[in-house]
Amino acid sequence: KTGCYQCHNKKIYPITYFFDRSQKMWADKKKLFTSINNLTIVTPSDWLGKYVKQSFLSQYPVITIHNGIDLTTFQPRSNEEKKQKLVGNKKMILGVAGMWTERKGLYDFYKLAELLGTDYQVVLVGLNSRQMESVPKNIIGITRTNSVIELSELYSMADYYVNMTYLDNYPTTNLEAQACGTPTITYRTGGSPESVQEAGYVVEQGDVGSVASIITRNDRKTHEYYRENAVKSFGAEKCFASYLQIYKSVLEASNEEI
């Protein structure tokens, strides 16, 4: 809002390690960005847009365009044989992350597995080799997959997709799970609630008990319901069309000024 200094995250991008360059970086960015005459800022969530409007970028129009996904790739893919091999007759609770950390809710999944008991199986996708060795025995760990088809199969097999993130903007995994016909439960974190709308469940950060309660009461709707909502709300084409409309309006405004 007013500057940046005494940075506590020097080892996080952009990395500076030994010297705190945050004050100069902030000043350089302000000078560069505010020198642009015709600038429209797009954020993927209303949550992020609210914060942009509190920054030195507030002089520019800020528009939210929610990210979209490929609905032909992420679609229901029934594979009961694969599910039987993975979790048996248990109900499958899925978590997916590119990198599992405490901020992604890794240890909250440990608590959730304890609360759910033996009728449910927590499956985490994206664990590294060290985490695979230390993950509790009541959780099935899967290393990161580069196959979107395999990932969509896992989403489709799950009874619930759970995203207990403590820091996020607009998680694409929430969209992918719903596109595969699976309900999403997420923490009230950043723009994550915007990605479930009326087709999912939102609980307060750290309230693992409420997550377990939603799962065990099992009032979820049909796979078709979540898929239809995703088709209506999350298609990539809808996202692209919104960007094209902005490009056209910006170009028209530029021509009028000329």
Side-chain angles (χ1 to χ4, degrees), residues 85-102:
K85 288 181 180 179
L86 184 63
V87 301
N89 294 321
K90 296 181 179 181
K91 292 184 177 179
M92 179 174 160
I93 312 303
L94 181 67
V96 176
M99 182 183 297
W100 281 105
T101 62
E102 184 175 359

Side-chain angles (χ1 to χ4, degrees), residues 20-113:
D20 183 3
R21 297 191 179 93
S22 58
Q23 189 170 23
K24 184 178 186 304
M25 286 181 179
W26 186 90
D28 287 347
K29 288 177 180 179
K30 181 178 181 181
K31 180 180 178 181
L32 290 167
F33 282 120
T34 57
S35 67
I36 303 172
N37 294 325
N38 190 357
L39 176 66
T40 299
I41 298 169
V42 180
T43 61
S45 67
D46 293 330
W47 168 81
L48 182 58
K50 177 186 70 176
Y51 285 103
V52 172
K53 291 173 184 176
Q54 297 174 23
S55 75
F56 59 68
L57 296 169
S58 59
Q59 69 189 67
Y60 299 107
V62 180
I63 299 170
T64 296
I65 297 179
H66 290 131
N67 291 335
I69 58 171
D70 183 354
L71 294 169
T72 61
T73 297
F74 292 100
Q75 59 175 296
R77 299 180 185 275
S78 178
N79 195 329
E80 287 301 318
E81 183 180 353
K82 187 172 183 177
K83 181 176 181 180
Q84 185 70 27
K85 288 181 180 179
L86 184 63
V87 301
N89 294 321
K90 296 181 179 181
K91 292 184 177 179
M92 179 174 160
I93 312 303
L94 181 67
V96 176
M99 182 183 297
W100 281 105
T101 62
E102 184 175 359
R103 291 193 299 186
K104 278 294 184 181
L106 177 60
Y107 302 119
D108 286 15
F109 272 101
Y110 291 4
K111 297 176 186 176
L112 180 63

Side-chain angles (χ1 to χ4, degrees), residues 27 37 43 62 101 118 125 132 145 149 171 181 183 207-208 234 236-237 247:
N37 294 325
T43 61
V62 180
T101 62
T118 57
V125 178
M132 288 287 287
T145 175
I149 301 302
D207 191 355
V208 183
F234 305 138
E237 291 78 9
Y247 294 147

